[in-house]
Amino acid sequence: MRKSIFVTAAFVALGWSGAAAAHDVYAPYVEKGVFEVEARGQRLIGGAEDGEGEVSFEVGYGFTDRLHIGLVSEVEDEPGEERRAEAVGIEAIYEIGQIPGTGVDLGAYLEYEQRLHGESGVLEAKLLAARQFGPVEGLFNLIAEQPLTDRDGEGDWELGYAAQASVEAADDFEVGVQAIGGLGERGALGGRQQHWFGPMAEVELEHLPLPGELELQAAYLLPVSDGARDEADGQFRFAIEFERAF
């Protein structure tokens, strides 16, 4: 039953997945012996890019209490075109630990993604940070992405961010806000970037027939910069994750 729930949700993801500013928010924590299957997607709503979407799938495992390694794939969905596999890759998350005296937990994320259809690979690195502020958990990711190509317009590190603040509203249910956007290129920060902000909710389902846990998250972000408003009126984002400890 749990498997059927996940597969159904994954196909819903393919139908409701946005590609602009497609950064996801990650926590800097790793659990040893935990197997994860995950789908994350975005879909742009309204505006010039209405209907453009993307969904990524990941299968990963916590090999130690600090190191998680996963295999990822991406599928793109553009209006008027067939959905197609866009990239495959491998990612690693390393839990660094807490900065003494600050309460800030740090982690590092590194991914190599090979774009398909004759395009280059992409290297992505993230600094992951988390801190508890009373009942509020704050997450912040600083993101750097480098296409491994000498094509015009793809030659330097592109910087961005993803952030989330959430509070537990009930048992296994959280509400909060998310923000994502771009920061520019190395040596040329700022400029006309996309920035998005809006509410999110997350629920964990633990008491299902099979061992494991299912986590569902949804967010709707509004454009808060001219660069984002040129793309769409909003974007729907979601994450579906099944995990089981072995």
Side-chain angles (χ1 to χ4, degrees):
M1 179 177 179
R2 179 185 290 272
K3 180 179 179 181
S4 66
I5 291 173
F6 180 81
V7 171
T8 300
F11 277 100
V12 171
L14 282 170
W16 287 91
S17 60
H23 302 314
D24 295 307
V25 188
Y26 284 83
Y29 305 116
V30 172
E31 294 182 90
K32 181 179 179 180
V34 173
F35 171 77
E36 297 179 359
V37 181
E38 183 178 65
R40 293 173 181 253
Q42 309 89 28
R43 185 179 181 88
L44 298 180
I45 308 296
E49 303 296 333
D50 180 46
E52 182 176 332
E54 177 183 286
V55 61
S56 63
F57 296 94
E58 176 193 338
V59 177
Y61 184 73
F63 286 90
T64 74
D65 57 2
R66 289 187 180 271
L67 180 63
H68 169 97
I69 295 178
L71 301 176
V72 298
S73 64
E74 292 184 2
V75 175
E76 282 195 354
D77 180 16
E78 296 189 15
E81 298 183 11
E82 292 186 1
R83 298 188 186 104
R84 67 176 189 174
E86 183 65 23
V88 294
I90 184 170
E91 68 174 22
I93 299 174
Y94 183 77
E95 183 175 335
I96 298 172
Q98 190 170 100
I99 302 175
T102 66
V104 176
D105 297 317
L106 292 181
Y109 174 103
L110 186 64
E111 177 187 290
Y112 174 77
E113 175 183 276
Q114 180 58 53
R115 294 183 291 187
L116 307 176
H117 314 293
E119 296 185 82
S120 70
V122 178
L123 186 65
E124 183 178 32
K126 300 180 183 181
L127 177 65
L128 314 178
R131 192 182 190 284
Q132 199 72 28
F133 299 92
V136 178
E137 180 187 48
L139 302 175
F140 180 80
N141 300 171
L142 181 62
I143 303 164
E145 186 176 279
Q146 170 69 70
L148 303 179
T149 177
D150 57 2
R151 291 182 180 180
D152 291 342
E154 287 195 340
D156 209 346
W157 287 94
E158 296 181 4
L159 305 179
Y161 67 90
Q164 177 178 298
S166 61
V167 61
E168 188 172 19
D171 289 344
D172 298 324
F173 179 68
E174 295 185 5
V175 295
V177 293
Q178 285 185 354
I180 60 172
L183 297 174
E185 295 184 355
R186 184 182 62 173
L189 298 179
R192 191 179 180 84
Q193 303 298 323
Q194 292 190 26
H195 301 282
W196 304 80
F197 179 83
M200 56 76 62
E202 180 177 296
V203 61
E204 294 182 6
L205 306 177
E206 298 178 344
H207 305 295
L208 295 176
L210 296 177
E213 180 179 299
L214 190 66
E215 183 177 289
L216 308 174
Q217 184 186 94
Y220 189 82
L221 308 187
L222 297 172
V224 292
S225 69
D226 289 340
R229 283 188 284 268
D230 289 344
E231 294 282 328
D233 299 330
Q235 63 170 286
F236 173 69
R237 304 172 65 86
F238 62 88
I240 306 161
E241 179 182 305
F242 166 70
E243 62 179 39
R244 180 178 177 182
F246 287 91

